[in-house]
Amino acid sequence: MYNPTVARLTYRALLGRRRAAILFVLPGLLLLIAAAIRGFNGADDQVAADVLGGFALATMVPLIGVIAGTGAIGPEIDDGSIVYLLAKPVKRPTIIFTKLIVAIAVTMVFSAVPTFIAGMILNGNGQQVAVAYTVAALVASIAYSALFLLLGTVSRHAVVIGLVYALVWEAVFGSLISGARTLSVQQWALSVAQKVSGEGLITSDVGLPLAVVLLAAVTVAATWFAGRKLRTLTLAGDE
């Protein structure tokens, strides 16, 4: 299910100069904010939770997921180079699964790692805040990567749709409409973080069992549907 050649090409596309520069901006900004807050405010568990929840998990992780998930396949479909890859004797589910693994790895490295470092800077992992949000970033990275990889497969406007979901649905509607939070990857990840952290610092509107089921279901369903769409794309190209 994993093809090293497809993985190498995908890593090269995602970590090219322009895209890599974008990937470094948000983690760098998070670390800068964390250092400034620690310098001016000192260590504070609640402030650390607010910063990691409000910026790292709510903004940085989904945006990096958009870049990595859509960038793993979207540009190849847009410029037509996907046809050369599909002409190779590689199964379509293998292509999708390999690209998903690469997108997950990139999203985790550029989101979970800086989240942990920022948490250590903010309060030295007091009440497990740094670890809790790192775990949340890890599980969110998986779901976001699968979801945005699917968008990159089905739409030429995947980046725009991904940004709308991340910044409008989760950030705006999620804060105004309680029912919308149930359909939020961020809330599912927060449920996992709530289990890890000190009591009262992190809250989620979704229970842990439901959150785990939804995270797994979205990841599996998005990956499966992306594979199906790629088969359809192959047939259209052959015709």
Side-chain angles (χ1 to χ4, degrees):
M1 291 296 293
Y2 181 85
N3 187 285
T5 301
V6 174
R8 185 173 64 253
L9 293 173
T10 307
Y11 274 119
R12 186 180 300 172
L14 285 178
L15 300 177
R17 290 183 180 180
R18 183 179 303 176
R19 199 173 295 271
I22 297 174
L23 288 171
F24 275 107
V25 169
L26 289 172
L29 183 58
L30 173 64
L31 296 179
L32 186 62
I33 291 172
I37 291 176
R38 180 60 185 267
F40 288 110
N41 194 61
D44 186 298
D45 295 340
Q46 187 59 60
V47 170
D50 292 342
V51 172
L52 295 181
F55 184 82
L57 190 61
T59 302
M60 183 182 73
V61 179
L63 289 181
I64 291 177
V66 170
I67 295 171
T70 61
I73 196 169
E76 291 176 293
I77 294 177
D78 290 342
D79 63 19
S81 60
I82 189 70
V83 173
Y84 299 100
L85 179 59
L86 296 178
K88 303 296 181 182
V90 182
K91 294 181 179 179
R92 304 312 178 248
T94 298
I95 294 174
I96 289 295
F97 184 77
T98 302
K99 288 182 175 293
L100 175 62
I101 294 299
V102 173
I104 290 173
V106 170
T107 306
M108 284 182 171
V109 168
F110 284 92
S111 61
V113 173
T115 296
F116 178 75
I117 297 173
M120 295 300 293
I121 293 172
L122 285 164
N123 75 333
N125 196 36
Q127 298 199 55
Q128 298 292 306
V129 170
V131 171
Y133 276 105
T134 300
V135 173
L138 289 172
V139 297
S141 295
I142 298 173
Y144 279 131
S145 296
L147 186 61
F148 296 137
L149 178 66
L150 171 61
L151 285 177
T153 307
V154 301
S155 174
R156 292 181 178 272
H157 307 291
V159 174
V160 175
I161 298 172
L163 291 175
V164 169
Y165 172 81
L167 300 180
V168 178
W169 177 264
E170 293 204 339
V172 178
F173 285 94
S175 63
L176 298 176
I177 305 173
S178 59
R181 297 174 194 142
T182 306
L183 301 177
S184 168
V185 175
Q186 177 189 339
Q187 289 296 323
W188 305 341
L190 279 174
S191 181
V192 178
Q194 183 180 6
K195 183 68 175 178
V196 178
S197 70
E199 188 167 347
L201 283 175
I202 303 174
T203 60
S204 173
D205 292 335
V206 182
L208 182 60
L210 178 59
V212 172
V213 170
L214 289 172
L215 284 166
V218 165
T219 302
V220 172
T223 304
W224 177 83
F225 195 76
R228 295 278 298 181
K229 177 61 180 177
L230 200 61
R231 287 195 185 99
T232 304
L233 182 67
T234 304
L235 293 175
D238 289 342
E239 292 173 359

